[in-house]
């Protein structure tokens, strides 16, 4: 593309669009139709320049012009309770459902890691001694020790808030850092599984694995599922950079990135539930079977939410991305 020729040919259209946008009086019908037509052309021109002959100054000018025109055409839109309801019943569960081919294998592989680590630590005293001194290990694993008192060491409300904040940050990091080819996601996931494996190994060596699982499972089922969803989605985002499919790499990354940001908000709500269970149910005086039953019920409810509501929304075409009218304008690209 000869950029100078292109600019000379279309400058008058851009100036006319700018003039219409600066009008202080209300546009009549013909002017409004002209504004829409010029906006569509300018959006196409911007996309062509970005893909064929990117020029920072011209791209910046056209981007601002297109944004102003889009605001004038579509009007200011405010989020409503209808948007929140649609997100919770369609967008978020559809996005989780669509990424199931990533987070389900991630969950299955990840569960193996703490199981193997726990077996290795639990059956090798020399490994246990490398973790901490014998007196410290006894303090961790004894009845009423640190593994048990951890869940009741702070008031339930503040403990739940702290747990929720930490887990939400970890999930958000998995989603955001996935853009770096997923490598940081693997490290974050390994750190979580390592901590779980150490707990399994040390408590099993003390003959108290049942106590440990009774403390972890009530909140851990839902919490780990949320972490696996975040990690799987982050890995999918990283793979999009390598293989964007029929889409351009930019549009593929934008689409998957917007869906991932939406999932971050949805997973924050899921982790709020698991944090509440960890703060109020795990340290409660309920029998172990009741506490684990609550955890299983929460996990099954989330899976049903994803596979029933999310599956239905995904089959209807919902991807978890924002609505088409809110996306940046562009032109089709060849496969």
């Amino acid at each position: 593309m000869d950029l100078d020729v292109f600019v000379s040919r279309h400058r008058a259209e851009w100036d006319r669009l700018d003039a219409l946008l600066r009008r202080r009086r209300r546009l009549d019908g013909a002017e409004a139709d002209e504004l829409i037509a010029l906006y569509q052309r300018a959006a196409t021109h911007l996309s062509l320049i970005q893909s064929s002959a990117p020029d920072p100054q011209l791209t910046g000018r056209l981007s601002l012009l297109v944004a102003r025109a889009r605001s004038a055409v579509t009007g200011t839109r405010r989020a409503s309770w209808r948007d929140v309801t649609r997100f919770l019943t369609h967008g978020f569960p559809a996005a989780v459902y669509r990424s199931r081919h990533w987070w389900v294998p991630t969950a299955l592989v990840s569960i193996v890691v703490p199981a193997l680590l726990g077996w290795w630590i639990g059956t090798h005293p020399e490994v246990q001694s490398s973790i901490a001194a014998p007196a410290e290990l006894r303090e961790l694993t004894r009845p009423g020790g640190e593994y048990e008192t951890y869940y009741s060491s702070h008031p339930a409300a503040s403990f739940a808030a702290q747990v929720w904040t930490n887990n939400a940050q970890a999930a958000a990091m998995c989603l955001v850092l996935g853009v770096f080819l997923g490598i940081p996601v693997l490290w974050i996931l390994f750190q979580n599984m390592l901590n779980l494996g150490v707990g399994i190994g040390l408590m099993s060596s003390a003959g108290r694995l049942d106590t440990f699982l009774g403390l972890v499972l009530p909140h851990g089922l839902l919490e780990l599922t949320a972490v696996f969803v975040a990690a799987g989605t982050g890995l999918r985002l990283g793979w999009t950079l390598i293989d964007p499919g029929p889409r351009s790499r930019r549009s593929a990354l934008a689409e998957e990135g917007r869906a991932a940001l939406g999932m971050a908000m949805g997973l924050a709500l899921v982790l709020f539930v698991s944090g509440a269970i960890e703060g109020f149910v795990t340290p409660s005086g309920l029998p172990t079977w009741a506490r684990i039953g609550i955890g299983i019920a929460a996990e099954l409810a989330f899976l049903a939410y994803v596979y029933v509501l999310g599956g239905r929304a995904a089959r209807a075409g919902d991807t978890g991305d924002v609505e088409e009218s809110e996306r940046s304008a562009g032109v089709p690209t060849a496969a």
Side-chain angles (χ1 to χ4, degrees):
M1 175 192 293
D2 189 320
L3 191 59
D4 292 332
V5 172
F6 187 85
V7 172
S8 298
R9 180 180 301 170
H10 299 291
R11 184 191 301 275
E13 296 179 13
W14 303 338
D15 290 342
R16 174 59 177 166
L17 177 59
D18 182 65
L20 288 173
L21 292 172
R22 292 178 184 275
R23 289 278 178 89
R24 295 190 178 276
R25 64 174 177 80
R26 189 179 183 89
L27 301 180
D28 59 30
E31 289 172 332
D33 290 341
E34 184 184 8
L35 173 65
I36 294 172
L38 290 173
Y39 157 62
Q40 293 172 334
R41 289 181 206 164
T44 301
H45 296 160
L46 174 60
S47 183
L48 288 171
I49 291 171
Q50 288 176 326
S51 60
S52 303
D55 177 86
Q57 185 174 359
L58 181 59
T59 299
R61 179 197 170 190
L62 275 182
S63 296
L64 180 60
L65 183 62
V66 169
R68 289 169 54 211
R70 181 176 176 221
S71 178
V73 170
T74 61
T76 303
R77 185 177 183 278
R78 296 182 179 179
S80 64
W81 284 110
R82 176 180 173 276
D83 297 315
V84 175
T85 302
R86 177 168 178 77
F87 170 73
L88 293 176
T89 58
H90 292 77
F92 173 56
V96 178
Y97 180 82
R98 284 181 63 244
S99 63
R100 69 192 184 284
H101 297 302
W102 283 89
W103 63 262
V104 170
T106 298
L108 296 176
V109 173
S110 298
I111 289 172
V112 174
V113 174
L116 292 177
L117 281 173
W119 169 82
W120 182 51
I121 294 172
T123 56
H124 292 76
E126 67 277 11
V127 177
Q128 300 167 29
S129 62
S130 69
I131 296 175
E136 293 175 332
L137 294 179
R138 285 193 297 271
E139 181 60 28
L140 282 171
T141 59
R142 67 176 178 82
E146 293 183 21
Y147 269 123
E148 291 185 40
T149 58
Y150 168 76
Y151 296 101
S152 56
S153 56
H154 300 284
S158 62
F159 182 71
Q162 179 183 352
V163 167
W164 174 55
T165 302
N166 293 339
N167 290 334
Q169 287 177 345
M173 288 176 64
C174 284
L175 291 166
V176 173
L177 296 179
V179 74
F180 297 103
L181 301 181
I183 296 173
V185 177
L186 295 175
W187 176 249
I188 294 172
L189 192 58
F190 176 73
Q191 289 294 312
N192 278 272
M193 296 303 101
L194 177 62
N195 291 334
L196 180 59
V198 170
I200 291 174
L202 294 180
M203 289 294 276
S204 66
S205 69
R208 308 193 67 235
L209 181 59
D210 56 340
T211 300
F212 181 76
L213 294 179
L215 292 170
V216 170
L217 288 180
H219 65 272
L221 291 172
L222 187 59
E223 178 183 301
L224 287 178
T225 300
V227 171
F228 295 147
V229 170
T233 304
L235 293 174
R236 177 181 181 176
L237 187 61
W239 183 253
T240 300
L241 283 172
I242 301 172
D243 181 16
R247 303 166 292 181
S248 69
R249 185 167 278 104
R250 168 182 280 185
S251 62
L253 188 60
E255 180 181 336
E256 300 300 337
R258 288 191 298 263
L261 289 176
M263 289 179 69
M265 293 185 289
L267 289 176
L269 295 176
V270 176
L271 288 169
F272 176 81
V273 175
S274 72
I277 294 174
E278 187 168 1
F280 293 94
V281 175
T282 297
S284 71
L286 291 172
T288 300
W289 65 265
R291 288 185 280 112
I292 294 178
I294 292 173
I296 293 174
E299 173 73 0
L300 292 177
F302 176 70
L303 293 178
Y305 168 72
V306 169
Y307 278 89
V308 177
L309 284 183
R312 183 185 306 155
R315 286 188 292 272
D318 203 321
T319 64
D321 195 2
V322 297
E323 295 184 10
E324 188 173 358
S325 60
E326 299 178 17
R327 302 175 197 171
S328 299
V331 296
T333 56

